[in-house]
Amino acid sequence: IDMPTANDIIERAMVKARIIYPGEAVPASKTSQVYAELNDMIESWALEKLMVVADVLENFTLTAGQSEYTYGTGGDFDSTRPIEIKNSCFVRVGDVDYPVGLRELATYRSLTSKSTGGTPRVMAYNPEYPLMKVFLWPTPTETDNIYMRVSKTLTSFSDKTTSVNLQPGYSRALISNLALEISPN
């Protein structure tokens, strides 16, 4: 499953646990119960320092004249701190997207003129904690939006129908372990 919903994982786990047959509708009463089991399982994994990682596309408004941003709860990019930033970011100016290449922090630091203004084309980050630091070059001159593909820890499915872009292997782990959790045997 490329981008499963909680319902997809629930249905496949119930088939694997032999609670329902393939193609059989999942009773609504069981869906809610198994949905709670799924989120409880993810929460218990987190207590054991086991993470379920999902890729997320987020966007933030840039500040003209600012090249350094904090990323995390309460930061300039106010969202849950990501594990990593992927190399598929872009700045949207009107209806045109400009790619922003992810570079090593040392490469960013070697740029001699940090005050150059324009549409950002280079990004680097320092995975500090609790707030990650993000560096852009050139320094934004407008309040455009930056779109960032990031990896984040999934702490729960927020609802049963929203698709989640899980990294490879996580769908199988969730389905198999949920099947064990709900198995009547």
Side-chain angles (χ1 to χ4, degrees):
I1 305 172
D2 289 337
M3 291 188 56
T5 64
N7 280 336
D8 295 332
I9 291 170
I10 289 167
E11 181 179 338
R12 290 190 57 193
M14 291 179 81
V15 168
K16 192 173 194 85
R18 296 190 170 105
I19 295 170
I20 62 171
Y21 294 104
E24 182 180 346
V26 180
S29 61
K30 289 191 180 199
T31 300
S32 293
Q33 180 182 357
V34 177
Y35 174 67
E37 289 287 334
L38 173 61
N39 280 334
D40 287 349
M41 183 180 73
I42 292 170
E43 182 180 297
S44 69
W45 287 1
L47 293 173
E48 297 177 33
K49 305 288 187 235
L50 302 172
M51 299 183 298
V52 176
V53 180
D55 288 340
V56 179
L57 180 65
E58 296 191 302
N59 73 81
F60 305 100
T61 302
L62 298 174
T63 301
Q66 181 177 342
S67 63
E68 184 177 321
Y69 297 83
T70 54
Y71 192 165
T73 305
D76 299 313
F77 298 161
D78 191 9
S79 179
T80 306
R81 183 187 178 282
I83 298 166
E84 72 172 325
I85 298 174
K86 304 285 195 157
N87 196 15
S88 54
C89 303
F90 58 93
V91 171
R92 182 164 288 159
V93 179
D95 61 352
V96 178
D97 294 340
Y98 295 92
V100 178
L102 189 60
R103 301 290 185 263
E104 295 289 326
L105 189 55
T107 302
Y108 172 80
R109 287 185 173 145
S110 71
L111 297 170
T112 55
S113 181
K114 304 278 192 311
S115 61
T116 301
T119 300
R121 302 305 294 257
V122 172
M123 176 193 310
Y125 70 93
N126 189 349
E128 296 176 19
Y129 190 84
L131 296 175
M132 177 182 285
K133 285 192 181 165
V134 175
F135 306 92
L136 299 174
W137 184 89
T139 299
T141 54
E142 302 293 330
T143 56
D144 299 313
N145 281 345
I146 187 164
Y147 289 77
M148 302 169 71
R149 172 109 13 227
V150 298
S151 296
K152 291 191 170 194
T153 303
L154 179 69
T155 55
S156 68
F157 281 86
S158 58
D159 60 55
K160 294 181 236 173
T161 59
T162 301
S163 295
V164 176
N165 189 9
L166 297 173
Q167 290 189 350
Y170 284 102
S171 290
R172 182 175 188 268
L174 289 169
I175 292 164
S176 297
N177 284 280
L178 183 60
L180 289 172
E181 291 279 330
I182 63 173
S183 178
N185 296 336

